[in-house]
Amino acid sequence: MLKFRALTRNWLIKRIQANNLLYVLSLIIFILFLIQATHEKFKPWQRRGPQHVMHSKVDSYAKTSAKFSKQDSIFEERRRRLQEVCNGNENVFIGNNTEANIKGRMHIDSKHKIIYCAIEKTGSTFWKRTMQILIGIRNASNPFVIRGMEAHFNFNTLRKVSFDIVHVLLQKYTKFLFVREPYARLLSGYVDKLFSPNSFYWKYTGTYIVRYFRSLPSNHSIKCGHDVTFPEFIDYFIDSEEHNRFRNGHFTPSYDHCRPCQIQYDIIGKLESFKNDTIYILEKLGVDSLIHFSDFARESEIDALTDAADNVYAMRLAVTKCMTFTEALRRVWKKMQIRGLLSREIPFPYSDDSRAYIPYSTFSKTLLDAHARSGPRDKRIENRKLALIEAYRQIDYRQLLRLKRILEPDCKIFGYDPEPSIIFQQTRQPESFYFMFDY
């Protein structure tokens, strides 16, 4: 009997051991399967072999159609350049932004697994509105129906997300950003925040520039900061970047916003091809069925005109403490000409001595009517080039060289000329049309 029990016990032990071994082997196989599946699903774009074939989560969203074959190569070239420039320079192209600031620029859409890094003056208002639609905050399908002033509220970012979770999300989600030619972006920041009526930036940045970068400023200018010239702005920008003080996100280099040498972005869009890049990116992200436009180019221009009118009237009480409202509207008119939305041949329609209040509806309609009479877009866009020449022609060559050193990382990383001839090789003094102040 005892012998039978011993045999039974040994048999049971062997069965348990065998079952445990099978269980362990099954568990190992299951874990390996999960690791492989996760790796295949979430691995970012990589290069392999001499053909540099791209693989990305983007490919799981939408099949690449024939019409995008050329753009595929364009976007691949942008990533290739970024990787080549950043290789070995990860600790060089870092910038001075804090981790919290960078995480605050990362707009996240968990449903579609998208992360968008917002950089001012590169179409960020449009993409913030688009992200609002994608995460369900806005009941709309066309970003242009959302007022520009409403784009800067109600969105999700990674600002308060812990570093370990951010690291996981950056590995799993599709990441994209938009950039812009650095010299044009810098001028755009000046025009938008200091040249045109903007009481907040006048008070915060304008007064600082007048106080520290102007000889013998008037008390009115010190108080208002409403008449900062472009050379004064460049002096301020160079000082702020060289000494890391009183910096502003609308002016600081793009690489400092999103750390492209430390974060492997899947898609890099450019403002110079904003319409085509936007349509391409929406399809690649698999959300093109959720975002619709009637006429992208026209809607974009009307949106810019409406936004300009909205902003100046929203700040009317503060702005009129520093200049007449007629002069403020004149600045808006000039801004629209600089942006290529109004022909420079169409003069500002209100007299300088006009003290009568001009209603919002009147001025808005005047802007839209002038836009309709401004001719084809290709001709109007020439305004941007002329404004760029006029602005940078005012800058001393030594300052241009200092400016070049600051903007050079963006130029190298994103494929722009660090010394554009239109700025560095001007042979004649252009007429003053856009940037004139009466102190």
Side-chain angles (χ1 to χ4, degrees), residues 246-260:
F246 216 84
R247 302 168 81 231
N248 184 278
H250 288 83
F251 318 131
T252 53
S254 295
Y255 80 94
D256 201 354
H257 288 284
C258 298
R259 301 282 175 86

Side-chain angles (χ1 to χ4, degrees), residues 42-181:
F42 294 127
K43 65 182 178 181
W45 270 345
Q46 298 177 352
R47 307 179 188 279
R48 70 182 184 190
Q51 298 303 316
H52 301 309
V53 179
M54 290 194 303
H55 299 276
S56 169
K57 184 174 173 57
V58 174
D59 295 331
S60 67
Y61 284 130
K63 295 180 179 179
T64 303
S65 59
K67 67 178 180 179
F68 283 137
S69 59
K70 182 178 180 180
Q71 284 182 281
D72 285 333
S73 62
I74 291 174
F75 278 84
E76 166 62 0
E77 171 59 25
R78 292 174 186 174
R79 279 183 47 78
R80 182 195 63 77
R81 180 185 182 89
L82 184 148
Q83 291 176 347
E84 288 183 354
V85 172
C86 291
N87 186 29
N89 292 311
E90 292 83 359
N91 295 325
V92 177
F93 298 136
I94 295 179
N96 296 303
N97 261 330
T98 64
E99 178 184 307
N101 189 295
I102 293 171
K103 290 197 299 182
R105 295 180 176 279
M106 300 287 187
H107 295 247
I108 181 170
D109 171 10
S110 298
K111 180 178 179 180
H112 302 99
K113 292 184 169 49
I114 299 169
I115 292 177
Y116 161 62
C117 185
I119 301 175
E120 291 91 337
K121 311 312 300 173
T122 65
S124 61
T125 299
F126 169 86
W127 276 104
K128 287 178 182 179
R129 289 182 285 189
T130 300
M131 293 295 284
Q132 287 179 341
I133 294 173
L134 294 180
I135 65 177
I137 290 177
R138 301 289 183 185
N139 183 23
S141 61
N142 187 338
F144 293 120
V145 304
I146 304 170
R147 300 298 269 245
M149 298 176 69
E150 299 175 359
H152 308 292
F153 309 95
N154 298 320
F155 45 74
N156 299 330
T157 72
L158 298 178
R159 181 180 292 277
K160 296 183 179 180
V161 179
S162 62
F163 176 79
D164 54 338
I165 295 179
V166 169
H167 178 73
V168 172
L169 294 177
L170 289 175
Q171 294 297 317
K172 293 182 177 181
Y173 285 26
T174 301
K175 307 167 292 297
F176 76 98
L177 75 165
F178 267 79
V179 295
R180 181 179 188 176
E181 199 284 322

Side-chain angles (χ1 to χ4, degrees), residues 234-355:
I234 292 298
D235 290 344
Y236 147 75
F237 173 74
I238 292 173
D239 179 83
S240 69
E241 291 300 313
E242 289 182 344
H243 299 284
N244 191 28
R245 59 190 177 196
F246 216 84
R247 302 168 81 231
N248 184 278
H250 288 83
F251 318 131
T252 53
S254 295
Y255 80 94
D256 201 354
H257 288 284
C258 298
R259 301 282 175 86
C261 285
Q262 291 73 39
I263 299 172
Q264 297 299 309
Y265 287 92
D266 301 299
I267 307 174
I268 303 169
K270 291 192 173 185
L271 190 71
E272 292 79 16
S273 51
F274 190 73
K275 174 186 173 181
N276 290 338
D277 286 7
T278 293
I279 294 172
Y280 174 89
I281 290 172
L282 289 173
E283 179 162 323
K284 285 294 182 179
L285 295 176
V287 296
D288 52 308
S289 62
L290 304 176
I291 307 297
H292 303 284
F293 314 101
S294 299
D295 183 336
F296 189 97
R298 182 178 182 278
E299 288 178 288
S300 177
E301 293 189 336
I302 299 301
D303 178 72
L305 292 163
T306 303
D307 189 53
D310 286 349
N311 286 333
V312 69
Y313 277 84
M315 300 181 183
R316 183 173 65 88
L317 293 179
V319 165
T320 51
K321 294 178 180 178
C322 298
M323 63 172 57
T324 67
F325 197 55
T326 301
E327 177 57 28
L329 296 183
R330 178 189 293 278
R331 295 273 193 99
V332 173
W333 196 271
K334 287 283 188 181
K335 174 183 174 180
M336 295 298 97
Q337 290 176 321
I338 291 169
R339 291 189 59 177
L341 298 173
L342 297 183
S343 168
R344 58 184 280 162
E345 277 73 43
I346 300 180
F348 181 64
Y350 306 105
S351 61
D352 292 336
D353 60 353
S354 174
R355 296 283 176 173

Side-chain angles (χ1 to χ4, degrees), residues 203-218 221-222 225 228 231-233 235-237 239-240 245-246:
K203 182 177 181 179
Y204 177 71
T205 305
T207 56
Y208 175 85
I209 295 175
V210 169
R211 186 178 296 274
Y212 293 102
F213 298 94
R214 179 181 297 176
S215 299
L216 303 175
S218 68
S221 294
I222 292 175
V228 173
E232 291 169 344
F233 167 73
D235 290 344
Y236 147 75
F237 173 74
D239 179 83
S240 69
R245 59 190 177 196
F246 216 84

Side-chain angles (χ1 to χ4, degrees), residues 391-430:
Y392 281 100
R393 183 62 176 172
Q394 303 173 62
I395 309 305
D396 178 83
Y397 188 72
R398 289 172 296 181
Q399 286 294 75
L400 282 179
L401 293 178
R402 293 173 70 188
L403 182 62
K404 173 188 171 183
R405 286 194 292 270
I406 296 170
L407 301 182
E408 201 158 21
D410 273 354
C411 295
K412 288 182 176 180
I413 292 171
F414 300 118
Y416 294 104
D417 184 357
E419 195 171 306
S421 59
I422 194 175
I423 292 174
F424 283 82
Q425 298 177 20
Q426 296 185 31
T427 58
R428 65 182 180 84
Q429 182 73 36

